């Protein structure tokens, strides 16, 4: 009867949700992402995919207990949903691994919207048992279909690479529009889309648009794991860089 139908619908909806955060889960993402990608392709519209990773999340669990880690995840999920549109799809794939699908959004548009998420999380104050937890920051990598990936796996890979660049550049920032261009030189005036290239001396050169700083950035990995980072000014010259360890 009607009661059984409603029960089945409720159980089906619950099966698509992450119990801790209320976000959609990995199963929902795996079913929905290919459908959204096909819809975007059919309509000739962009689709952005963002991978969000809480910086130093392990310190919450290790220093404050798993209850603190769970509360940080719940609050983070709430902030993301509040900052994004109702048509955007936010999923928890597991642990602190979060993914957002943003229909009808370019990577640049998505990065601008996600900047609101980053700022809101940085301003968030979480208290647990009367004690304030450390600040929450997030690193975000954004990719856009079809230019950064023709299928979900390629799009996720591109967003993950952008996330890695965000982490390498100091965390608490957004890197949008990663594109791999092996064995090509990095041009300081190449534009907003980041690239990675292998130099003759074996170092890895990176360039990316940092949406948080509104600047084109350049980086160079040495063999010792150090990353030299510099901002590119409007004239295509590099400002003095700093070294930071991964």
């Amino acid at each position: 009867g009607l009661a059984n139908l409603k029960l089945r619908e409720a159980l089906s909806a619950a099966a698509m949700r992450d119990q801790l955060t209320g976000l959609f889960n990995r199963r929902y993402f795996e079913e929905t992402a290919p459908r959204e990608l096909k819809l975007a392709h059919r309509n000739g519209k962009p689709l952005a995919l963002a991978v969000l990773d809480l910086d130093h999340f392990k310190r919450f669990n290790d220093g404050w207990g798993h209850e603190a880690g769970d509360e940080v995840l719940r609050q983070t999920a709430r902030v993301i949903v509040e900052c994004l549109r109702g048509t955007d799809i936010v999923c928890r794939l597991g642990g602190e691994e979060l993914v957002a699908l943003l229909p009808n959004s370019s990577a640049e548009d998505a990065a601008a919207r996600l900047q609101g998420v980053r700022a809101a999380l940085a301003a968030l104050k979480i208290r647990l048992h009367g004690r304030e937890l450390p600040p929450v920051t997030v690193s975000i990598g954004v990719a856009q279909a079809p230019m950064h990936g023709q299928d979900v796996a390629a799009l996720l890979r591109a967003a993950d690479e952008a996330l890695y660049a965000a982490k390498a550049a100091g965390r608490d920032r957004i890197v949008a529009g990663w594109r791999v261009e092996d064995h090509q030189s990095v041009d300081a005036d190449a534009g907003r889309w980041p690239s990675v290239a292998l130099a003759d001396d074996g170092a890895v050169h990176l360039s990316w648009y940092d949406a948080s700083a509104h600047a084109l950035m350049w980086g160079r990995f040495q063999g010792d794991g150090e990353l030299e980072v510099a901002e590119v000014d409007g004239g295509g010259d590099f400002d003095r860089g700093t070294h930071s360890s991964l």
Side-chain angles (χ1 to χ4, degrees):
L2 183 60
N4 285 336
L5 178 61
K6 288 183 176 180
L7 177 60
R8 284 197 300 271
E9 289 175 348
L11 290 174
S12 178
M16 297 296 183
R17 294 281 182 177
D18 172 61
Q19 289 187 337
L20 176 65
T21 63
L23 299 176
F24 290 111
N25 58 21
R26 177 181 290 274
R27 175 184 169 187
Y28 185 83
F29 173 79
E30 290 175 347
E31 291 182 4
T32 303
R35 189 164 59 240
E36 289 291 332
L37 198 56
K38 288 179 182 177
L39 185 63
H41 178 71
R42 186 164 62 244
N43 293 335
K45 300 290 187 181
L47 173 70
L49 183 149
V51 177
L52 303 90
D53 189 79
L54 295 177
D55 299 323
H56 304 297
F57 178 73
K58 192 171 182 289
R59 71 177 175 179
F60 291 105
N61 285 330
D62 290 351
W64 297 76
H66 287 280
E67 186 181 2
D70 288 350
E71 184 62 20
V72 168
L73 284 171
R74 276 192 290 264
Q75 294 290 341
T76 296
R78 177 185 61 79
V79 167
I80 295 172
V81 171
E82 287 178 355
C83 291
L84 296 184
R85 304 167 301 179
T87 53
D88 297 328
I89 300 164
V90 187
C91 308
R92 181 188 180 204
L93 300 189
E96 70 271 27
E97 187 181 6
L98 308 175
V99 173
L101 288 167
L102 297 92
N104 300 323
S105 291
S106 66
E108 188 176 357
D109 291 339
R113 195 170 295 118
L114 288 160
Q115 174 65 8
V117 171
R118 193 198 66 79
L121 285 175
L124 184 64
K125 296 187 184 302
I126 302 177
R127 299 187 67 84
L128 187 68
H129 303 311
R131 301 167 66 195
E132 187 171 313
L133 299 182
V136 177
T137 64
V138 65
S139 297
I140 305 174
V142 186
Q144 176 186 331
M147 74 167 62
H148 304 125
Q150 299 285 342
D151 55 41
V152 176
L155 207 56
L156 263 176
R157 189 161 55 248
D160 276 336
E161 288 168 349
L163 173 65
Y164 181 78
K167 294 281 189 184
R171 298 180 170 85
D172 188 23
R173 67 195 64 226
I174 303 166
V175 170
W178 189 263
R179 182 174 60 204
V180 175
E181 298 172 337
D182 288 336
H183 307 294
Q184 295 182 19
S185 63
V186 175
D187 181 358
D189 296 316
R192 304 176 77 84
W193 302 117
S195 61
V196 58
L198 302 178
D200 292 338
D201 61 1
V204 178
H205 288 196
L206 309 169
S207 65
W208 66 90
Y209 177 69
D210 187 328
S212 303
H214 302 290
L216 182 65
M217 306 295 291
W218 172 87
R220 185 175 188 270
F221 276 113
Q222 301 284 6
D224 57 7
E226 293 293 307
L227 173 67
E228 179 185 4
V229 177
E231 181 176 333
V232 183
D233 68 20
D237 296 326
F238 294 122
D239 291 340
R240 184 166 57 185
T242 58
H243 287 79
S244 59
S245 179
L246 288 178

